[in-house]
């Protein structure tokens, strides 16, 4: 026989646990005791034990023993129950509430019989909270020995506190069948998948200005559409709905207005490019060679030196995701996934389920919270970028990309990109450009 735990342990909510599954949370009380006749040691969930104490908060005497065979029962113990247990991993630990401390029990992955013995439960319940220097009221012995599985048993009952928990366990509904458990898991996956899709769509609507984009907008590749959305999301959707002829006209208008703002319309090679756009011909040199284009812009003395304060999009409130529904179906509660940065306590070396359906807890004392689990929803907010002073930008350097964009073979992409480059060419004066673009888009769409 060996004793991996001896002395005193701290309890809270009158609970302490044995856990061996690193991937799951401590089960809910209703899960741990479902279908049992005894209410002191819940073993209905594989790989876990839920242990009740009389004392609500403070230190209790606690010993864990591991035997090779069933030990004799000492008459000193007033309340005794037995259950069956099999570890789910190589590490089984005695764990305090909220993971405040844990002791490795070094149990093999085999079937055990477990005897949980208690003394002084009523005294501990009456004291409720034990402070420093106060005498010990209740103590407990937890014994393991190899044995095949068998139903739980109440061996001895003396205290009123034990009788209360036994009644609670017997009043619980029976544990779910394998088929019911599979259905619950299916529903949980379905709820999580639906919630994830709703979160994705909600964020996508926010990005696109309050409405979902069309397949045409989603299909625009390698464009500045997201940049233009920050300035005028309604215009983006209007351009999408306008049709290819309007989109071509808007692209040409944006390119022309950008060159006018930059003072480039009197530069011959820029004027030739604008004419080519109007006639839907390929852009002439130097627009057909990127390196040559920028070198020509740099070296041509006819290019004016014009600058403007950069365009700053209007501020918008930070993104706030929706709060998912908590109640999923009658008798069940959805515990939503929590973000990795939350403050929910973890147990050393033990995991916590991120999202699942659990039976709704009754409204009496049996509804004490599961260890370390708060039924709360983490909310992620993307903060607004802190405002900064605008910089001056060279207008000719933003105008030429508008010309290149307007020549794109895809009309929608040409319009979106040309308008976006024109907005930046106008800089701080971009609202007057957007007003003209909106009017032109609406007018041509109505022709």
């Amino acid at each position: 026989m060996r004793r991996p735990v001896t002395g005193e342990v701290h309890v809270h909510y009158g609970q302490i646990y044995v856990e061996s599954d690193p991937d799951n949370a401590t089960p809910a009380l209703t899960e741990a005791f479902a279908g049992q006749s005894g209410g002191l040691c819940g073993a209905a969930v594989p790989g876990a034990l839920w242990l009740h104490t009389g004392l609500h908060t403070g230190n209790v005497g606690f010993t864990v023993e591991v035997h090779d065979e069933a030990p004799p029962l000492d008459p000193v113990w007033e309340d005794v129950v037995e259950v069956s247990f099999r570890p789910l991993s190589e590490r089984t630990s005695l764990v305090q509430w909220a993971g405040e401390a844990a002791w490795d029990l070094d149990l093999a992955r085999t079937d055990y019989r477990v005897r949980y013995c208690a003394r002084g439960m009523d005294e501990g319940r009456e004291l409720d909270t034990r402070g420093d220097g106060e005498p010990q009221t209740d103590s407990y012995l937890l014994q393991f020995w190899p044995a095949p599985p068998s139903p739980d048993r109440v061996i001895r009952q003396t205290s009123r506190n034990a009788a209360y928990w036994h009644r609670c366990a017997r009043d619980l509904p029976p544990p779910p069948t394998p088929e019911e458990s599979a259905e619950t898991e299916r529903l949980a996956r379905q709820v999580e998948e639906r919630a994830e899709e709703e979160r994705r769509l909600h964020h996508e609507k926010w990005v696109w200005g309050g409405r979902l984009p069309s397949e045409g907008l989603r299909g625009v590749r390698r464009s500045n559409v997201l940049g233009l959305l920050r300035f005028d999301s309604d215009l983006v959707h209007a351009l999408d709905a306008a049709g290819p002829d309007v989109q071509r006209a808007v692209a040409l208008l944006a390119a022309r207005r950008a060159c006018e703002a930059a003072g480039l319309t009197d530069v011959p090679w820029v004027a030739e490019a604008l004419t080519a756009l109007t006639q839907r011909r390929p852009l002439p040199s130097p627009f057909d060679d990127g390196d040559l284009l920028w070198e020509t812009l740099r070296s041509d003395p006819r290019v004016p030196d014009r600058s403007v304060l950069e365009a700053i999009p209007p501020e918008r409130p930070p993104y706030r995701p929706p709060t998912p529904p908590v109640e999923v179906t009658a008798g069940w509660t959805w515990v939503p996934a929590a973000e990795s940065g939350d403050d929910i306590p973890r147990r050393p070396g033990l995991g916590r389920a991120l999202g699942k359906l659990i039976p709704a807890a009754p409204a009496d004392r049996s509804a004490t919270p599961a260890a370390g689990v708060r039924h709360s929803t983490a909310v992620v907010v993307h903060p607004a970028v802190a405002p900064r002073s605008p910089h001056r930008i060279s207008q000719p350097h933003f105008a030429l990309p508008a010309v290149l964009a307007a020549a794109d073979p895809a009309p929608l992409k040409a319009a979106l990109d040309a308008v976006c480059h024109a907005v930046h060419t106008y800089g701080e004066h971009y609202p007057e450009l957007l007003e003209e673009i909106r009017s032109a888009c609406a007018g041509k769409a109505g022709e």
Side-chain angles (χ1 to χ4, degrees), residues 45 166 176 199-200 218 313 434:
V45 175
H166 294 330
R199 288 191 294 267
R200 185 191 67 79
R218 283 199 181 101
L434 289 182

Side-chain angles (χ1 to χ4, degrees), residues 142-222:
L142 187 65
Q143 298 173 310
F144 295 82
W145 66 90
S150 59
D152 77 294
R153 297 172 56 205
V154 176
I155 306 298
R156 184 179 297 160
Q157 177 186 312
T158 303
S159 69
R160 297 185 305 276
N161 194 250
Y164 167 84
W165 287 118
H166 294 330
R167 288 195 304 273
C168 287
R170 292 160 190 163
D171 288 342
L172 290 173
T177 65
E179 293 76 17
E180 291 171 336
S181 296
E183 177 64 9
T184 299
E185 292 179 8
R186 187 190 67 80
L187 287 173
R189 287 194 301 270
Q190 189 178 78
V191 169
E192 181 66 16
E193 290 167 1
R194 185 169 64 248
E196 177 59 33
E197 178 64 10
E198 289 174 355
R199 288 191 294 267
R200 185 191 67 79
L201 292 175
H202 187 272
H203 183 262
E204 188 176 29
K205 284 180 67 175
W206 179 83
V207 168
W208 289 88
R211 70 185 87 172
L212 291 175
S214 68
E215 290 305 315
L217 281 174
R218 283 199 181 101
V220 176
R221 305 296 182 190
R222 301 177 64 84

Side-chain angles (χ1 to χ4, degrees), residues 84-108:
S84 291
F85 173 76
R86 183 182 181 91
L88 297 183
S89 72
E90 299 299 329
R91 181 170 182 175
T92 302
S93 302
L94 178 71
V95 183
Q96 287 183 183
W97 189 89
E100 295 164 342
W103 295 262
D104 187 5
L105 302 184
D106 193 24
L107 296 180

Side-chain angles (χ1 to χ4, degrees), residues 251-268:
L252 177 59
L253 175 62
R256 186 171 296 277
R257 291 293 183 261
C259 291
E260 290 172 355
L264 294 176
T265 53
D266 292 333
V267 177

